[in-house]
Amino acid sequence: MKKQKFILTMVLIAVFLLSVVSFAGAQENVRIAMLVKNLGNAFFEACRDGGLEAAKELGGIEFIFQGPTTPTAEGQIEIIDSLIAQKVNAIVISANDVDALVPVCQRAMKSGITVISFDSGVAPEGRILHLAPSSSEFIGRSQVKMLANLIDYKGEIAVLSASSQATNQNEWIEWMKEELKEPAYKDMKLVAVVYGDDLSDKSYREATGLFKSYPDLRGIISPTTVGIAATGKALEDAGKSGKIELTGLGLPSEMKQYIKNGTCRQMSLWNPIDLGYSSTYIAYKLVKGEFQGKEGEVMKVGRMGEIKIGPDNVAVMSEPFIFEKDNIDKFAEIY
Ligand code: RAM
């Protein structure tokens, strides 16, 4: 009898110890889901690599990478619903629509999930903060300045964007239009804004459509890595390199050949690895209560240094890099 009691006590102690250990283990793993506009975009794959780097550096993170096949708000809503069911700790989203994602993001936050947006924002009421790679005003205005220099401030121009609802591209296009109101651009005319939905084939078709509809077109701004690469190819295939100038936001690895052969003489971008690293880092620190996510707070974001949260809880990183013939090789090896 005594022996039986002893065994039972030992078993109970073992069960207790095991549950304590597994509870501590479960508590340690912070599950962070990076939800991108769509899969198959090398820009977001670089963001994912940055996220994985932060996860490794911080430790105790399960990093999840997801996105719909096409960049729609509906696709992202479905994924967020399933992330809520999986009870992840944080969602880091590049949004396909500024407003349509607010209700589902609010549901996620109500269930205790930390939601931040990066790259392409959700409206303030649907997230704690937004991490922008650079100021939208700066990006929009500088794109127009670059193209104006390439075409001597004269002629018809067009924009080939991502999806028509994308928060980031739409903000940049608004600032491009503001910049174009300056007297310096009186001889430049924005004749069309078209949308390639961050899909290569659709972007290619839209570019070709622009060449046909606007025979006098002098320049194209494509503020999307997918769009600019597809436009580069379309220009080459149509024999229009040099006749129509191309600039925008491109990945050096995808644009190297077009930069080198003059199809795109100048473009810019920020480092998507740094963007993914920073957003994952910030999400973790918010989950842990080490960042508050309040306006005015200066966050110490690992190897990126300090990033300040500004009005509307938007935290802005730095200015984009400009890529040309003489520096493209170096960057093409990184992203
Ligand atoms: C595409 C996406 C992304 C944008 C870059 C510049 O990869 O639209 O959101 O930031 O281009």
Side-chain angles (χ1 to χ4, degrees):
M1 194 61 187
K2 244 189 182 170
K3 199 176 168 198
Q4 265 178 349
K5 238 186 175 177
F6 176 75
I7 291 172
L8 187 67
T9 314
M10 290 315 277
V11 166
L12 283 176
I13 288 173
V15 167
F16 174 73
L17 283 177
L18 265 177
S19 62
V20 167
V21 168
S22 62
F23 180 65
Q27 235 189 3
E28 261 169 35
N29 253 356
V30 173
R31 299 168 73 214
I32 300 178
M34 178 179 279
L35 173 51
V36 299
K37 284 177 168 177
N38 64 321
L39 297 177
N41 177 346
F43 175 88
F44 291 122
E45 282 157 15
C47 293
R48 176 200 58 200
D49 292 348
L52 285 168
E53 181 196 338
K56 198 169 165 206
E57 181 183 321
L58 292 160
I61 295 180
E62 183 189 332
F63 183 78
I64 303 161
F65 181 74
Q66 289 195 338
T69 43
T70 52
T72 62
E74 294 71 38
Q76 289 189 315
I77 290 170
E78 234 174 75
I79 294 174
I80 295 177
D81 271 327
S82 104
L83 292 170
I84 295 174
Q86 291 167 48
K87 296 189 167 51
V88 297
N89 299 95
I91 297 174
V92 178
I93 178 175
S94 168
N96 284 320
D97 193 302
V98 66
D99 294 318
L101 284 147
V102 167
V104 75
C105 287
Q106 285 181 335
R107 265 208 309 285
M109 290 196 288
K110 267 204 196 113
S111 76
I113 299 174
T114 296
V115 178
I116 67 169
S117 52
F118 79 108
D119 179 56
S120 184
V122 175
E125 57 275 24
R127 42 77 176 164
I128 295 172
L129 61 83
H130 172 66
L131 182 67
S134 191
S135 121
S136 292
E137 175 171 359
F138 183 86
I139 298 169
R141 289 189 188 275
S142 60
Q143 300 281 293
V144 171
K145 287 179 191 156
M146 276 198 298
L147 185 59
N149 275 319
L150 295 170
I151 63 170
D152 293 326
Y153 290 78
K154 274 189 213 76
E156 292 183 356
I157 63 165
V159 172
L160 192 150
S161 190
S163 73
S164 64
Q165 297 303 314
T167 320
N168 50 351
Q169 273 90 9
N170 284 351
E171 274 177 17
W172 301 332
I173 293 168
E174 283 313 306
W175 282 111
M176 288 179 203
K177 289 180 178 165
E178 275 306 306
E179 179 68 12
L180 283 166
K181 287 181 187 160
E182 300 288 327
Y185 307 105
K186 63 178 183 352
D187 296 329
M188 276 169 60
K189 190 175 173 217
L190 177 64
V191 292
V193 178
V194 296
Y195 301 93
D197 290 350
D198 271 351
L199 302 170
S200 295
D201 50 351
K202 173 138 199 277
S203 304
Y204 184 95
R205 285 199 302 277
E206 291 294 338
T208 311
L210 284 176
F211 311 156
K212 291 206 176 107
S213 308
Y214 303 96
D216 296 328
L217 197 66
R218 283 288 295 125
I220 297 176
I221 300 174
S222 187
T224 134
T225 58
V226 180
I228 194 173
T231 307
K233 178 154 182 15
L235 282 169
E236 269 188 12
D237 291 353
K240 301 258 182 208
S241 301
K243 293 184 187 123
I244 298 176
E245 297 286 348
L246 171 65
T247 193
L249 301 170
L251 275 175
S253 55
E254 292 182 338
M255 290 298 290
K256 183 172 153 178
Q257 70 181 101
Y258 306 119
I259 295 269
K260 289 211 143 176
N261 68 16
T263 299
C264 172
R265 289 194 278 154
Q266 200 179 56
M267 62 165 200
S268 61
L269 194 69
W270 39 89
N271 183 330
I273 304 169
D274 291 349
L275 184 61
Y277 170 88
S278 306
S279 41
T280 306
Y281 197 103
I282 291 169
Y284 175 83
K285 293 284 177 179
L286 286 169
V287 169
K288 287 285 180 184
E290 290 167 34
F291 291 167
Q292 304 313 309
K294 296 266 152 57
E295 186 180 332
E297 183 180 354
V298 177
M299 303 177 289
K300 286 210 172 80
V301 184
R303 66 171 172 81
M304 297 306 297
E306 295 183 341
I307 303 177
K308 190 174 174 181
I309 305 178
D312 281 334
N313 275 19
V314 176
V316 177
M317 292 180 73
S318 51
E319 285 188 6
F321 302 102
I322 293 177
F323 304 108
E324 293 162 327
K325 254 184 201 149
D326 56 3
N327 66 359
I328 194 75
D329 282 326
K330 190 175 94 198
F331 288 96
E333 280 171 23
I334 313 172
Y335 55 90

